[in-house]
Amino acid sequence: MWKRSTPGRTSVGIVTPTQLRAFAAVARRGSVKQAGADLGVSDAAVSLHVAQLRKELGDQLFVRTSTGLAFTPGGLRLASRAAEMLGLQDRTVEEVSRAGNGRRLLRVAASALFAEHAAPGLIELFTSRADDLDVELSVADADSFAALLLNRSVDVALGPAAGELDPSLVVTPFLKYELVVVVAAEHPLAHGRPSLDMVRDQIWLLGPTAVANTGAVPGLLRSLRVAEDHQRIFPSDAAALEQTRRGHGVSLCLSFAVGRETADGRLVRIAVPGLHTAGVWNALSLPGHDRSSAIAELTRFVSTPRATQAMLRGSGVNVGHFRPSVHVTLWS
């Protein structure tokens, strides 16, 4: 359990793993009902745990809006910390079990954009090649990659190479990507030629990458000067895109993730100068690993044609050894 102390007070509140697990599920799924279904409990039980958290922490955490749940700043912070603490608890149990059974463990950190769209296919295919390997995936801002690697908290980081990196790190670029702005076919901007100002003034429906300090998504939002009160942040790109399909605003998406829908006309790409941006995903690691190690194997594998196909279209294999202890860490 987690004790909360307040300066100047002797009383101590208690936050339990059960409460944190309920809130983490709500943050991940964007719905109390769906969180209950994931956890195998009633909606009322989830609501009770959230109410207890609100009372103990003195924060509303989230409110319901017409487009879903909107999290307070405290709620966003708790979403990150809850996933981290629960992940540490689960990871410790798993690591003890794996060590006793002689299994290898590869700890991978990934940016939110890569984790949602490319990591599942890559890791499923990679682990299908080794029966003795488990991969643990966590989500982190690219700004923290260097520290995580240097502190030996993770073995490999996948995503943008942000800022000035430590020269001792090995950086391997492996995949270029493109970000596009899309709207539903019925949206007013889908017809004619909207100006940049018209697009900027829309409601932007965005995934968690939008709140990162660095990266292509926050960089484009800053360059376009999209006002914060025009940004709606969702627990995933998929949740944001679903609202876009309903005509509630515009989304900033990976081109390969919406390729089919733009091809068949369900979504329309806004082709306005200034809305296009691109980036590169990299594999970052420490030097000096044996070429037979899981770290070296992954950094070689990510640049192969099979890995590229898996990242863009899925692995084509069943989920086997991909068991992340932190399913999705929303905001770190």
mmCIF file of all heavy atoms in Angstrom, residues 17 47 100 142 176 187 194 226 278 323 326:
data_model
loop_
_atom_site.group_PDB
_atom_site.id
_atom_site.type_symbol
_atom_site.label_atom_id
_atom_site.label_comp_id
_atom_site.label_asym_id
_atom_site.label_seq_id
_atom_site.Cartn_x
_atom_site.Cartn_y
_atom_site.Cartn_z
ATOM 1 N N PRO A 17 -3.079 -0.896 -3.802
ATOM 2 C CA PRO A 17 -2.864 -1.350 -5.173
ATOM 3 C C PRO A 17 -4.174 -1.588 -5.927
ATOM 4 O O PRO A 17 -4.239 -1.358 -7.136
ATOM 5 C CB PRO A 17 -2.080 -2.662 -4.993
ATOM 6 C CG PRO A 17 -1.370 -2.495 -3.685
ATOM 7 C CD PRO A 17 -2.325 -1.717 -2.821
ATOM 8 N N SER A 47 -15.931 2.528 -9.712
ATOM 9 C CA SER A 47 -16.301 3.882 -9.274
ATOM 10 C C SER A 47 -15.995 4.089 -7.798
ATOM 11 O O SER A 47 -15.563 5.173 -7.386
ATOM 12 C CB SER A 47 -17.793 4.126 -9.539
ATOM 13 O OG SER A 47 -18.074 4.097 -10.926
ATOM 14 N N GLY A 100 14.246 -18.253 -11.988
ATOM 15 C CA GLY A 100 14.259 -19.632 -11.521
ATOM 16 C C GLY A 100 14.090 -20.634 -12.643
ATOM 17 O O GLY A 100 14.504 -21.793 -12.516
ATOM 18 N N ALA A 142 11.053 10.332 -24.857
ATOM 19 C CA ALA A 142 12.381 10.178 -25.445
ATOM 20 C C ALA A 142 13.441 10.924 -24.648
ATOM 21 O O ALA A 142 14.618 10.531 -24.641
ATOM 22 C CB ALA A 142 12.362 10.661 -26.894
ATOM 23 N N LYS A 176 11.803 5.441 -40.932
ATOM 24 C CA LYS A 176 11.265 6.782 -41.095
ATOM 25 C C LYS A 176 9.738 6.719 -41.062
ATOM 26 O O LYS A 176 9.145 5.716 -41.474
ATOM 27 C CB LYS A 176 11.716 7.380 -42.433
ATOM 28 C CG LYS A 176 13.208 7.617 -42.535
ATOM 29 C CD LYS A 176 13.569 8.223 -43.890
ATOM 30 C CE LYS A 176 15.066 8.462 -43.998
ATOM 31 N NZ LYS A 176 15.441 9.045 -45.309
ATOM 32 N N HIS A 187 -16.628 15.919 -42.354
ATOM 33 C CA HIS A 187 -16.189 17.150 -41.693
ATOM 34 C C HIS A 187 -16.114 18.289 -42.714
ATOM 35 O O HIS A 187 -15.743 18.077 -43.866
ATOM 36 C CB HIS A 187 -14.813 16.931 -41.054
ATOM 37 C CG HIS A 187 -14.408 17.999 -40.101
ATOM 38 N ND1 HIS A 187 -13.893 19.215 -40.519
ATOM 39 C CD2 HIS A 187 -14.430 18.042 -38.745
ATOM 40 C CE1 HIS A 187 -13.608 19.951 -39.458
ATOM 41 N NE2 HIS A 187 -13.926 19.265 -38.366
ATOM 42 N N PRO A 194 -9.022 24.294 -47.218
ATOM 43 C CA PRO A 194 -8.968 25.111 -46.003
ATOM 44 C C PRO A 194 -7.605 25.778 -45.846
ATOM 45 O O PRO A 194 -6.584 25.278 -46.316
ATOM 46 C CB PRO A 194 -9.204 24.087 -44.892
ATOM 47 C CG PRO A 194 -8.740 22.793 -45.472
ATOM 48 C CD PRO A 194 -9.093 22.860 -46.934
ATOM 49 N N VAL A 226 -0.882 25.739 -32.102
ATOM 50 C CA VAL A 226 -2.211 25.253 -31.735
ATOM 51 C C VAL A 226 -2.437 25.539 -30.251
ATOM 52 O O VAL A 226 -1.671 25.095 -29.401
ATOM 53 C CB VAL A 226 -2.344 23.743 -32.006
ATOM 54 C CG1 VAL A 226 -3.713 23.242 -31.553
ATOM 55 C CG2 VAL A 226 -2.128 23.451 -33.488
ATOM 56 N N ALA A 278 7.824 14.759 -40.602
ATOM 57 C CA ALA A 278 8.358 13.398 -40.635
ATOM 58 C C ALA A 278 9.377 13.229 -39.522
ATOM 59 O O ALA A 278 9.866 14.201 -38.938
ATOM 60 C CB ALA A 278 8.986 13.102 -41.989
ATOM 61 N N ARG A 323 4.914 -10.101 -23.012
ATOM 62 C CA ARG A 323 4.150 -9.924 -21.782
ATOM 63 C C ARG A 323 4.655 -8.686 -21.057
ATOM 64 O O ARG A 323 5.407 -8.788 -20.091
ATOM 65 C CB ARG A 323 4.310 -11.140 -20.864
ATOM 66 C CG ARG A 323 3.941 -12.460 -21.514
ATOM 67 C CD ARG A 323 3.994 -13.581 -20.492
ATOM 68 N NE ARG A 323 3.840 -14.868 -21.126
ATOM 69 C CZ ARG A 323 4.840 -15.664 -21.470
ATOM 70 N NH1 ARG A 323 6.077 -15.261 -21.259
ATOM 71 N NH2 ARG A 323 4.613 -16.828 -22.029
ATOM 72 N N VAL A 326 4.244 -3.404 -17.784
ATOM 73 C CA VAL A 326 3.498 -2.164 -17.820
ATOM 74 C C VAL A 326 2.834 -2.116 -19.184
ATOM 75 O O VAL A 326 3.476 -1.875 -20.187
ATOM 76 C CB VAL A 326 4.416 -0.930 -17.649
ATOM 77 C CG1 VAL A 326 3.591 0.341 -17.646
ATOM 78 C CG2 VAL A 326 5.214 -1.032 -16.349
#
